[in-house]
Amino acid sequence: MSTGLLTLIILALATFGMVAGRARAVASAGGDIRRLHSLPTFYGRFAALLAAVPAFLLVIVWLLAQPVFIENRALSLISPADIPQGSSDTLVMSDVRRIAGGLDQLAARGADLAPLVTDAPALKAALNAAGVALQNEPAPSVIAAAQALRAMQSTSRLIMTGVALVLAVAGLGWGLSRVRPEFRARNATESFSMWLLIGCSLVAVLTTVGIVASLVFETAHFFRLYPAKDFFFSTTWNPQFRGGSSLGIWPLVWGTLYVSAIALVVAVPVGLMSAVYLAEYASKKTRSWVKPAIEILAGIPTIVYGLFALITVGPLLRDWIAQPAGLGDSSSSVMTAGLVMGIMVIPFVSSLSDDIINAVPQSLRDGSLGLGATPSETVRQVVLPAALPGIVGAVLLAASRAIGETMIVVMGAGAAAKLSLNPFEAMTTVTVKIVSQLTGDTEFASPETLVAFALGLTLFTLTLGLNILALYIVRKYREQYE
Amino acid sequence: MKDLVMETRVDAQTVKIEARKAQVFYGQNHAIKDVDVDILDKTVTAFIGPSGCGKSTFLRCLNRMNDTIPGCRVEGKITLEGEDIYDARVDPVQLRAKVGMVFQKPNPFPKSIYDNVAYGPKIHGLTRNKAELDEVVEACLRKAALWNEVKDRLQTPGTGLSGGQQQRLCIARAIATSPEVLLMDEPCSALDPIATAQVEELIDELRSQFSVVIVTHSMQQAARVSQRTAFFHLGNLVEYGETGQIFTNPRDPRTESYITGRIG
Ligand SMILES: Nc1ncnc2c1ncn2[C@@H]1O[C@H](COP(=O)(O)OP(=O)(O)OP(=O)(O)O)[C@@H](O)[C@H]1O
Ligand SMILES: [Mg+2]
């Protein structure tokens, strides 16, 4: 039975529980719903939740856990001799999975599998015909593993379907059996929903933990292959795919910080001032079209900004500033990328700050104006300080956007990792290097590719630090301004 | 005896603010209708009337705070020392420095207590150095009967005070700017009887330098602190005169029913 069909059956059972629970509740009260502790729908909802939630949880957990168990068992069937030189368990297992999938397809078409599984060349041909391309003829133990995988998958699927259906029916029956006028169905559904909400937030938290854990794990792997000392203290970034590369992170971190700093120097004043204009001075009519117009900036794809940097801003800066001032003759430069990125993040600063400034109570403005302050004094001395925590948040959001930006940097600042103070020189950032280390034909075994994880972790630490700083600032000013 | 003294003084006063046929509209809502009032210098004037009758609205006209409300329109003529305050040449910022205001709801700035009071003197450059500013802050906080409660925590946020303390902070902040007229919108509504008595004392003291207009819901307070009283009802100025006369011998039946508690 397919998962889709199973889902439908469970949903049908839940719907039945909804209707039946309701009807039973009304009947148990002799038609007078005032005798019930809760409204009839709550009894229905209770039965429906009991029917659906445990069954679905089981299906989800089962589907997540199944591959781990089954594939380990299948892997144990493969004889070590069949794992080719230079390959690994995971690569062979992916072959096993593809063969198993191909066999499923063939079986679905009604092909006779018995002769194929003993004849590797024929199997390869048949699978190729079915659209599953194999590089070489599979070894007998690989084929056996694939067959075992298929068998285990189908039994596991069968057991899962059975258990899920039993759970759903049992839940439904139990839920219905508890319907009595004095049963507090409203409270029961309430706590049910609470657990559901807790579960959902747990998913988000666990995902984050999982991502960080995998980053840390792979980074540790990288540091086993490449000395941490060189990574953190070397100032050259020069990956060689033949080996012997130097992977010092500083040129990349420097480039990231330099570009982001220029972007913020552009975006914060412009964004903040336009926010002040919109919130404090603009008429309603002006505001209603200026604000969306600024927000459009946030909707432009970054590749378009990149084009703009590459074709317009870069050459312009080179011809009018860098060359006349003797600061270099490259059209890709930190300045180009920083300026364009600054424009991109203006709406992050302005739109959020505008909302925050608007949330400052009018009574504070009145108080200041009533003392004979001008509107701009009021903004500077009362409104902005009151809005500061929120504004800091907006700026840091813009900063994280800038630090994580890739496309504009590739097209505007180039890809050369350099440690330099000259803003008209080409430099590059962490994100760009992550992309370039991972593109192309690579496998995750050499330090040159694994360094991507270390870079990712560095980036993550950088933004995390920024967020903590933001929290600290916000809290500090909260204390002062609340 | 005290009454006699006051009355002789009142007669000697010049008119500070004069309103003629003042009208206020909030969009379509005609909130103030044909109000004529002469507010005298060095006098406390009380505005009384039922809730929603337009006391705050009219008070806000006197320093153009209504400018900040979108859709609010003021017509008629209001003059401060003979000068039309709604004239295009008048700078509302300067006007508000001369006509200070304490609002109905306390609105301390999210700054320290000290900075709240120092705000006006700083932006208007009223003091020459820090020592002088310290003196002004202390004097104003003392006048507003708040000094003893806050003298040890001048650097803590003004928003951390209790509601009544916040209101007294706002009073201190308003008098620190040394206005010529002080408009107070229900300054004592959040205060306990002791603080109320202190603020009333302050109002009486301020009368020697400023002209004070106070909105109040307390008849006793109006009778205690003011020399003149204006009774508003549904946007109209029903009666305006000597406080003693309004309370003992009102001319309009609506005034009489209000002060005896029959119009709510
Ligand atoms: N900002 C505003 N926008 C629209 N209408 C307003 C506004 N402020 C006041 N009004 C209206 O103007 C009228 C007078 O209000 P106002 O605040 O002056 O009353 P008040 O006499 O001060 O009452 P209270 O004693 O309750 O403070 C009311 O009908 C009110 O609805
Ligand atoms: Mg009012």
Side-chain angles (χ1 to χ4, degrees):
Chain A
M1 194 186 295
S2 75
T3 323
L5 188 58
L6 182 63
T7 311
L8 277 184
I9 293 178
I10 296 175
L11 282 181
L13 281 172
T15 317
F16 172 73
M18 188 92 198
V19 177
R22 205 194 135 93
R24 249 180 91 90
V26 175
S28 74
D32 178 8
I33 64 166
R34 278 172 305 173
R35 288 186 46 223
L36 293 170
H37 171 273
S38 316
L39 287 176
T41 18
F42 284 108
Y43 294 92
R45 221 176 280 172
F46 179 70
L49 282 171
L50 272 187
V53 174
F56 277 133
L57 276 183
L58 175 93
V59 172
I60 292 171
V61 172
W62 196 294
L63 288 179
L64 288 179
Q66 171 182 302
V68 182
F69 287 105
I70 292 182
E71 289 189 9
N72 269 339
R73 301 246 316 261
L75 186 60
S76 65
L77 293 177
I78 300 174
S79 60
D82 288 336
I83 298 176
Q85 198 68 40
S87 183
S88 66
D89 291 1
T90 41
L91 287 179
V92 177
M93 259 331 278
S94 84
D95 266 355
V96 171
R97 245 173 279 135
R98 288 169 62 204
I99 295 171
L103 286 173
D104 280 342
Q105 277 184 27
L106 291 176
R109 287 187 207 164
D112 183 10
L113 299 184
L116 287 179
V117 293
T118 49
D119 182 2
L123 178 68
K124 185 181 173 210
L127 286 180
N128 278 347
V132 181
L134 291 179
Q135 254 172 343
N136 28 36
E137 287 168 13
S141 75
V142 172
I143 300 177
Q147 278 290 59
L149 189 67
R150 289 184 59 216
M152 283 187 285
Q153 270 173 348
S154 67
T155 30
S156 145
R157 177 62 58 92
L158 205 67
I159 298 172
M160 176 188 83
T161 309
V163 175
L165 286 180
V166 168
L167 256 185
V169 172
L172 176 67
W174 192 58
L176 287 180
S177 75
R178 290 193 60 184
V179 174
R180 249 176 251 112
E182 64 277 8
F183 173 57
R184 302 182 177 185
R186 193 172 173 211
N187 307 27
T189 42
E190 185 65 34
S191 49
F192 223 108
S193 347
M194 187 190 76
W195 282 107
L196 206 69
L197 299 181
I198 291 180
C200 288
S201 40
L202 222 61
V203 169
V205 173
L206 289 182
T207 317
T208 316
V209 171
I211 291 175
V212 174
S214 82
L215 267 183
V216 170
F217 182 77
E218 296 290 349
T219 305
H221 193 171
F222 166 69
F223 283 133
R224 273 196 301 269
L225 299 175
Y226 188 86
K229 192 174 90 300
D230 290 356
F231 180 70
F232 286 117
F233 297 107
S234 152
T235 53
T236 44
W237 173 269
N238 183 20
Q240 303 281 318
F241 280 94
R242 279 159 272 123
S245 14
S246 44
L247 302 171
I249 192 171
W250 284 110
L252 307 185
V253 169
W254 169 247
T256 304
L257 294 180
Y258 205 172
V259 174
S260 307
I262 294 178
L264 289 183
V265 165
V266 174
V268 171
V270 175
L272 202 55
M273 287 186 203
S274 37
V276 168
Y277 168 72
L278 284 178
E280 300 288 323
Y281 294 91
S283 69
K284 227 178 187 156
K285 221 172 114 204
T286 323
R287 195 181 138 87
S288 71
W289 68 267
V290 172
K291 196 171 181 195
I294 293 179
E295 278 163 5
I296 286 179
L297 284 178
I300 299 177
T302 53
I303 187 86
V304 176
Y305 280 109
L307 274 178
F308 180 58
L310 185 71
I311 294 177
T312 316
V313 180
L316 209 71
L317 285 180
R318 181 193 56 199
D319 297 345
W320 291 93
I321 300 179
Q323 274 179 345
L327 288 169
D329 46 17
S330 147
S331 74
S332 332
S333 66
V334 172
M335 196 52 120
T336 310
L339 285 181
V340 175
M341 204 191 277
I343 293 167
M344 179 194 81
V345 296
I346 284 175
F348 289 86
V349 179
S350 76
S351 198
L352 266 176
S353 308
D354 173 50
D355 292 342
I356 290 153
I357 292 174
N358 260 315
V360 172
Q362 179 64 28
S363 67
L364 287 185
R365 294 188 187 95
D366 284 352
S368 170
L369 295 173
L371 292 171
T374 61
S376 79
E377 283 163 348
T378 303
V379 167
R380 255 185 297 124
Q381 309 211 15
V382 176
V383 177
L384 286 185
L388 195 66
I391 291 173
V392 170
V395 169
L396 285 165
L397 181 74
S400 346
R401 264 312 293 251
I403 287 177
E405 177 51 41
T406 313
M407 223 56 232
I408 295 179
V409 183
V410 179
M411 297 173 82
K418 233 179 279 171
L419 261 177
S420 160
L421 276 174
N422 181 356
F424 294 97
E425 234 177 278
M427 276 180 224
T428 198
T429 63
V430 176
T431 48
V432 172
K433 281 304 161 195
I434 292 181
V435 175
S436 65
Q437 290 311 99
L438 295 187
T439 38
D441 248 352
T442 50
E443 46 178 312
F444 284 104
S446 64
E448 284 74 22
T449 45
L450 282 171
V451 71
F453 289 102
L455 291 178
L457 194 63
T458 313
L459 208 58
F460 175 74
T461 321
L462 208 65
T463 39
L464 189 72
L466 217 60
N467 280 333
I468 292 173
L469 182 74
L471 274 181
Y472 171 76
I473 294 177
V474 169
R475 196 162 304 154
K476 195 171 158 202
Y477 280 93
R478 275 272 161 72
E479 270 165 22
Q480 199 173 336
Y481 289 114
E482 248 173 27
Chain B
M1 175 63 206
K2 201 180 170 201
D3 277 348
L4 261 179
V5 177
M6 274 180 199
E7 273 167 36
T8 44
R9 265 216 207 148
V10 166
D11 291 336
Q13 295 319 315
T14 47
V15 174
K16 188 80 182 175
I17 297 180
E18 184 181 308
R20 288 293 172 266
K21 293 218 167 299
Q23 323 272 347
V24 181
F25 301 86
Y26 290 112
Q28 295 300 312
N29 178 8
H30 196 171
I32 289 288
K33 298 158 195 154
D34 278 336
V35 169
D36 292 352
V37 148
D38 289 337
I39 289 169
L40 302 181
D41 200 9
K42 301 203 175 14
T43 304
V44 179
T45 308
F47 287 178
I48 59 172
S51 189
C53 66
K55 305 178 297 290
S56 300
T57 302
F58 184 66
L59 200 68
R60 292 169 65 99
C61 289
L62 303 182
N63 68 345
R64 291 188 60 173
M65 280 308 289
N66 282 333
D67 291 11
T68 65
I69 299 178
C72 178
R73 197 152 46 81
V74 179
E75 284 172 11
K77 190 167 174 157
I78 300 177
T79 60
L80 174 71
E81 291 176 330
E83 199 183 358
D84 186 349
I85 63 171
Y86 282 90
D87 192 277
R89 277 168 306 177
V90 169
D91 177 9
V93 171
Q94 268 173 358
L95 171 73
R96 291 181 198 134
K98 279 196 263 180
V99 184
M101 184 155 202
V102 177
F103 293 82
Q104 188 163 354
K105 273 187 264 162
N107 55 353
F109 300 137
K111 293 175 180 292
S112 70
I113 294 173
Y114 182 96
D115 286 337
N116 261 283
V117 183
Y119 188 82
K122 270 188 194 160
I123 53 176
H124 297 299
L126 300 182
T127 53
R128 267 164 299 166
N129 51 42
K130 177 87 169 71
E132 229 173 278
L133 187 60
D134 288 348
E135 264 170 48
V136 169
V137 169
E138 178 174 344
C140 293
L141 283 170
R142 274 188 198 284
K143 281 188 195 162
L146 190 61
W147 175 253
N148 287 330
E149 286 156 70
V150 301
K151 61 171 184 277
D152 299 324
R153 47 168 175 156
L154 288 177
Q155 294 310 324
T156 60
T159 40
L161 296 173
S162 79
Q165 290 173 327
Q166 290 187 2
Q167 187 63 295
R168 280 176 280 156
L169 180 62
C170 293
I171 293 173
R173 186 176 76 184
I175 57 182
T177 320
S178 339
E180 297 170 19
V181 180
L182 185 60
L183 310 174
M184 303 175 105
D185 198 346
E186 294 182 38
C188 300
S189 59
L191 301 189
D192 64 47
I194 300 169
T196 304
Q198 286 166 329
V199 170
E200 285 177 6
E201 210 170 286
L202 165 72
I203 293 172
D204 205 53
E205 202 183 303
L206 293 177
R207 184 159 61 93
S208 59
Q209 309 151 37
F210 314 148
S211 154
V212 180
V213 183
I214 173 171
V215 172
T216 176
H217 281 293
S218 157
M219 301 302 124
Q220 290 84 346
Q221 183 169 60
R224 278 195 302 266
V225 300
S226 72
Q227 289 78 53
R228 302 216 137 211
T229 298
F231 171 62
F232 288 84
H233 187 235
L234 298 177
N236 295 301
L237 178 65
V238 174
E239 192 166 348
Y240 176 52
E242 304 278 324
T243 300
Q245 172 255 312
I246 296 272
F247 280 97
T248 55
N249 186 18
R251 293 197 190 98
D252 196 288
R254 284 172 291 177
T255 318
E256 188 181 356
S257 7
Y258 181 70
I259 58 179
T260 54
R262 268 173 285 150
I263 301 185

